[in-house]
Amino acid sequence: MQNTLKDREHSYEYGLPEYLQQDLDAYKNGLKNGSPLLDCLWGELYGSINACQWNRLITEKEAEYLREKYL
């Protein structure tokens, strides 16, 4: 069965390197709870996405998807 674009994009949020997943979860929780540290959480997530892309732990498409959706 062929995956739809939405299914493929949704899969970009799973199976991430541990530190990226932790930063993504922390940012999501910060958004949900109105954290006063949201700018710090944003910066951590941004850095983790870049580090994972540079170290080829995620693809450029995955990195772009995460940036567009969360940053």
Side-chain angles (χ1 to χ4, degrees):
M1 181 187 292
Q2 192 174 15
N3 286 342
T4 65
L5 178 60
K6 186 174 183 173
D7 290 338
R8 188 170 55 247
E9 288 177 346
H10 185 69
S11 72
Y12 290 164
E13 296 185 43
Y14 298 95
L16 298 171
E18 186 176 347
Y19 66 94
L20 176 53
Q21 187 66 61
Q22 288 174 348
D23 289 342
L24 178 58
D25 291 343
Y27 185 72
K28 286 179 182 180
N29 286 332
L31 287 171
K32 180 180 175 182
N33 298 316
S35 173
L37 302 174
L38 202 54
D39 59 335
C40 296
L41 297 171
W42 185 97
E44 288 294 318
L45 179 57
Y46 183 79
S48 291
I49 293 169
N50 288 344
C52 285
Q53 181 183 353
W54 295 332
N55 290 311
R56 297 185 177 143
L57 300 174
I58 62 173
T59 66
E60 183 177 349
K61 284 186 180 186
E62 290 169 311
E64 287 175 6
Y65 169 80
L66 291 170
R67 284 187 199 104
E68 285 181 22
K69 182 168 182 180
Y70 294 103
L71 307 177

